[in-house]
């Protein structure tokens, strides 16, 4: 094998850029270096994330650190590749300016969502695992990506929300401070029922449950004299991670109230109407044709 021939081939200049000669050897070194470096970077990233999870670091903090680590690694690889090719960074000054102008006009939404994503990860007003209410939509945050946030809705559907919408619109974060949420069970009983007994039975149904927080204590309110019923509200606090948890608790409480009311012969009200008619009412029945033998 003629090594001199190979050496000459590897030293062959393919083109010259800004006074720097680019050889075959340099062009071959760059992809090999990038492939090896990317393998090392990803392996180190997995080890770092694994170590952070073992230390019980919050998932959103791990996600933010992983993003910063990835951006820094890409920047270092890019600069290293240019150094291997002997291309100075100032050679891209004009190109980067033109790209910046093009991006400013043609990709405003993308840049807006990109910056919004970093703000969400840095300020942490919304974290992975938080239960959000956005308009009519409720769900749990599964991941905060560069452009959008993945939310698992209460109905099981995954929804992608642009990061800019989470910063520009009103978002209710039910679990920003803790997972405690207030909920209410309303019930109406027929007029003539013992209101004190009804309130006591509702309080009993609330106190029997271990998944209801004891402080603040559950409260029963005589809400209103309704059109067809005496209205009562049972107000309580629960520690829940999703709307499905609170709905399940409210459903169990209603089952228990139905049982208690039946045992004490308390009638759950339903809409009724009394009709008062002035004057006499006559009911006429049409004559039937009779067959006579």
């Amino acid at each position: 094998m003629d090594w001199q021939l190979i050496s000459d081939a590897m030293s062959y200049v393919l083109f010259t850029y800004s006074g720097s000669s680019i050889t075959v050897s340099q062009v071959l070194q760059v992809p090999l270096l990038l492939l090896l470096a990317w393998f090392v970077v990803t392996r180190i990233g997995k080890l770092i994330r694994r170590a952070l999870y073992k230390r019980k670091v919050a998932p959103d903090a791990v996600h933010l650190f992983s993003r910063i680590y990835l951006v820094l690694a890409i920047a270092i690889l890019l600069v290293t590749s240019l150094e291997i090719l002997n291309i100075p960074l100032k050679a891209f000054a004009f190109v980067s300016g033109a790209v910046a102008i093009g991006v400013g006009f043609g990709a405003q939404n993308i840049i807006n969502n990109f910056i919004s994503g970093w703000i969400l990860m840095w300020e942490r007003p919304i974290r992975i695992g938080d239960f959000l209410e956005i308009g009519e939509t409720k769900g749990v945050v599964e991941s905060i990506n560069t452009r959008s946030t993945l939310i698992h809705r209460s109905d099981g559907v995954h929804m992608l929300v642009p990061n800019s919408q989470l910063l520009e619109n009103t978002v209710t974060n039910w679990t920003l401070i803790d997972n405690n949420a207030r909920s209410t069970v309303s019930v109406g009983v027929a007029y003539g029922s013992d209101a004190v007994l009804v309130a006591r039975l509702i309080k009993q149904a609330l106190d029997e449950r271990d998944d209801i927080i004891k402080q603040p204590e559950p409260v029963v309110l005589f809400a209103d004299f309704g059109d067809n019923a005496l209205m009562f509200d049972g107000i309580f606090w629960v520690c829940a991670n999703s709307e499905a948890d609170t709905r399940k608790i409210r459903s169990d409480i209603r089952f228990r109230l139905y049982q208690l009311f039946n045992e004490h012969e308390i009638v759950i009200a339903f809409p009724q109407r009394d009709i008062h008619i002035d004057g006499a009412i006559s009911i006429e029945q049409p004559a039937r044709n009779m067959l006579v033998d």
Side-chain angles (χ1 to χ4, degrees):
M1 181 178 294
D2 192 347
W3 294 104
Q4 183 61 37
L5 181 61
I6 296 176
S7 177
D8 293 341
M10 298 297 290
S11 302
Y12 179 75
V13 178
L14 295 175
F15 60 92
T16 303
Y17 184 81
S18 296
S20 300
S21 299
I22 309 301
T23 64
V24 175
S25 158
Q26 292 172 324
V27 172
L28 294 178
Q29 287 178 15
V30 170
L32 293 177
L33 175 64
L34 290 177
L35 182 62
L36 178 60
W38 187 252
F39 175 77
V40 174
V41 166
T42 53
R43 293 295 298 175
I44 294 177
K46 291 180 180 179
L47 293 176
I48 293 175
R49 285 196 298 271
R50 191 178 304 169
L52 292 176
Y53 280 127
K54 287 183 178 180
R55 293 177 178 271
K56 297 183 179 180
V57 179
D60 53 322
V62 176
H63 185 69
L64 173 61
F65 183 83
S66 299
R67 291 287 179 178
I68 296 175
Y69 168 76
L70 183 61
V71 170
L72 292 178
I74 292 176
I76 293 174
L77 289 178
L78 179 61
V79 173
T80 304
S81 300
L82 294 178
E83 288 293 333
I84 294 176
L85 295 175
N86 294 324
I87 299 177
L89 291 176
K90 63 180 181 181
F92 292 91
F94 176 77
V95 177
S96 60
V99 171
I101 295 175
V103 167
F105 285 101
Q108 296 182 14
N109 291 334
I110 297 176
I111 297 300
N112 186 16
N113 290 322
F114 177 81
I115 297 176
S116 298
W118 281 101
I119 294 175
L120 290 175
M121 289 185 288
W122 185 260
E123 292 187 354
R124 301 174 62 190
I126 297 173
R127 301 162 300 183
I128 297 176
D130 281 352
F131 182 67
L132 304 183
E133 181 177 355
I134 309 170
E136 299 296 328
T137 302
K138 296 179 181 179
V140 178
V141 178
E142 288 196 345
S143 64
I144 302 176
N145 302 312
T146 304
R147 189 192 65 84
S148 61
T149 297
L150 179 63
I151 296 179
H152 189 196
R153 294 190 332 198
S154 300
D155 57 2
V157 177
H158 287 82
M159 181 177 67
L160 290 173
V161 179
N163 293 326
S164 59
Q165 292 188 11
L166 297 177
L167 292 180
E168 297 171 358
N169 300 323
T170 301
V171 177
T172 302
N173 191 340
W174 288 42
T175 54
L176 179 60
I177 305 300
D178 52 38
N179 291 341
N180 297 342
R182 193 184 72 173
S183 188
T184 304
V185 171
S186 300
V187 62
V189 298
Y191 274 92
S193 302
D194 187 345
V196 176
L197 175 61
V198 172
R200 181 169 60 82
L201 294 178
I202 297 175
K203 187 66 164 57
Q204 176 183 341
L206 297 179
D207 291 338
E208 288 176 352
R209 299 195 60 85
D210 295 332
D211 47 12
I212 292 180
I213 299 175
K214 304 307 178 184
Q215 290 295 332
E217 186 179 359
V219 177
V220 179
L221 300 179
F222 193 156
D224 197 5
F225 293 97
D227 293 338
N228 306 290
L230 305 175
M231 302 302 301
F232 291 83
D233 289 337
I235 302 174
F236 56 93
W237 288 79
V238 296
C239 182
N241 295 320
S242 66
E243 186 185 16
D245 295 339
T246 57
R247 291 183 61 185
K248 177 64 168 55
I249 294 173
R250 289 196 297 265
S251 175
D252 293 341
I253 293 174
R254 293 187 183 102
F255 276 117
R256 180 57 176 159
L257 288 177
Y258 187 82
Q259 180 183 4
L260 290 175
F261 286 176
N262 284 338
E263 292 176 358
H264 293 80
E265 298 181 352
I266 294 176
V267 178
I268 298 177
F270 54 89
Q272 302 181 40
R273 293 292 182 269
D274 294 333
I275 301 176
H276 301 274
I277 301 176
D278 295 333
I281 299 178
S282 61
I283 300 176
E284 297 182 357
Q285 183 175 4
R288 298 181 179 177
N289 295 327
M290 303 297 294
L291 296 178
V292 180
D293 295 337

